[in-house]
Amino acid sequence: IEVAGSAILLVIILNGLLALSTSICYAKLSEAMPDVGGGQQWIRKGMGSFWGHTTGWVSWLAHSVACGIYAISLGFYVYQFLFVYVLPKLEIQIWGSEQFWEKIIAVLTILLLSAVNYIGVKSTSRINKYGAIGALGVLIAFVVLGFWTAGADITASKANFDGLFSRGISGLLAGMGLFYLAFQGSEVAAQSGEEVKNSKDISRGIIIGLFVIIVM
């Protein structure tokens, strides 16, 4: 929103269309060649071991960066909820800066989920299931609270949508680049290929999941 302004709505639509083209590829390939390696295995089978090996490392790096961003983002929101809203009302003193606590929460989150993954697949799948439900719950809360806040001052809320391209095309493209992270997930779904009885379920899940995210 900071870089795109009111064009954020267009950012969501364009990113959704861009992600749809990728999601369809993942959906069709997951259905035809379900494999725990996902994209890495398809590249290896289609282009040879060297490119498959390279893709695997690039995928690992992308997953690591994404997990770092997710953890830091979670740290920000947990800090806002606990340290800005909850603890001050309970008159509990807080020491340390916002950046310090955000990083502490991020590191603890990574260590906790790493431990869950180490324990085994069954515990990981359970955490993923409840985590997905929880994430949808958070998104729904954002939507409900957003409408509630917007309704408190309709005039001010309406003014937020003035000047669709006030930040220019560069702002629109920057917004798309920053926000595209929200549309990731096809690769993760594809990597469950060997754990699903019917590969068509992965295909449906990838496309349905994308549209759920776009609408929300």
Side-chain angles (χ1 to χ4, degrees):
I1 293 171
E2 185 179 351
V3 298
S6 58
I8 190 68
L9 295 174
L10 195 55
V11 163
I12 295 169
I13 294 169
L14 292 174
N15 270 353
L17 292 172
L18 191 62
L20 180 61
S21 62
T22 308
S23 296
I24 289 172
C25 292
Y26 271 105
K28 290 299 180 183
L29 285 164
S30 295
E31 194 173 324
M33 293 183 287
D35 193 296
V36 72
Q40 186 266 341
Q41 288 292 348
W42 305 329
I43 295 292
R44 185 181 63 80
K45 289 174 182 177
M47 301 179 67
S49 295
F50 173 77
W51 291 111
H53 179 81
T54 304
T55 302
W57 278 105
V58 171
S59 179
W60 175 83
L61 177 62
H63 279 62
S64 300
V65 171
C67 286
I69 293 171
Y70 297 151
I72 290 291
S73 299
L74 180 67
F76 168 79
Y77 284 111
V78 170
Y79 178 88
Q80 294 296 318
F81 178 69
L82 285 179
F83 290 71
V84 177
Y85 293 102
V86 177
L87 296 181
K89 288 183 180 180
L90 298 174
E91 298 182 354
I92 297 175
Q93 295 294 321
I94 305 160
W95 58 269
S97 66
E98 179 177 344
Q99 289 78 13
F100 170 79
W101 282 109
E102 285 177 6
K103 288 180 175 62
I104 290 294
I105 294 165
V107 169
L108 289 175
T109 301
I110 291 171
L111 290 174
L112 173 64
L113 294 179
S114 296
V116 170
N117 276 274
Y118 182 77
I119 291 169
V121 173
K122 186 176 288 186
S123 59
T124 305
S125 64
R126 195 178 297 122
I127 288 288
N128 280 341
K129 181 172 72 175
Y130 294 124
I133 293 169
L136 284 173
V138 170
L139 286 173
I140 291 169
F142 265 72
V143 172
V144 172
L145 294 171
F147 277 119
W148 185 15
T149 306
D153 191 340
I154 297 294
T155 304
S157 299
K158 183 177 178 294
N160 287 331
F161 296 95
D162 293 340
L164 186 63
F165 290 107
S166 58
R167 311 291 170 88
I169 297 297
S170 60
L172 174 70
L173 295 175
M176 288 179 66
L178 288 167
F179 203 2
Y180 194 74
L181 195 68
F183 295 87
Q184 281 187 271
S186 298
E187 171 74 11
V188 178
Q191 288 170 343
S192 65
E194 293 181 2
E195 301 169 27
V196 178
K197 291 179 181 178
N198 184 357
S199 59
K200 286 186 177 180
D201 289 341
I202 304 176
S203 179
R204 293 191 196 101
I206 288 172
I207 301 301
I208 293 170
L210 175 63
F211 279 102
V212 168
I213 291 299
I214 292 171
V215 170
M216 293 198 71

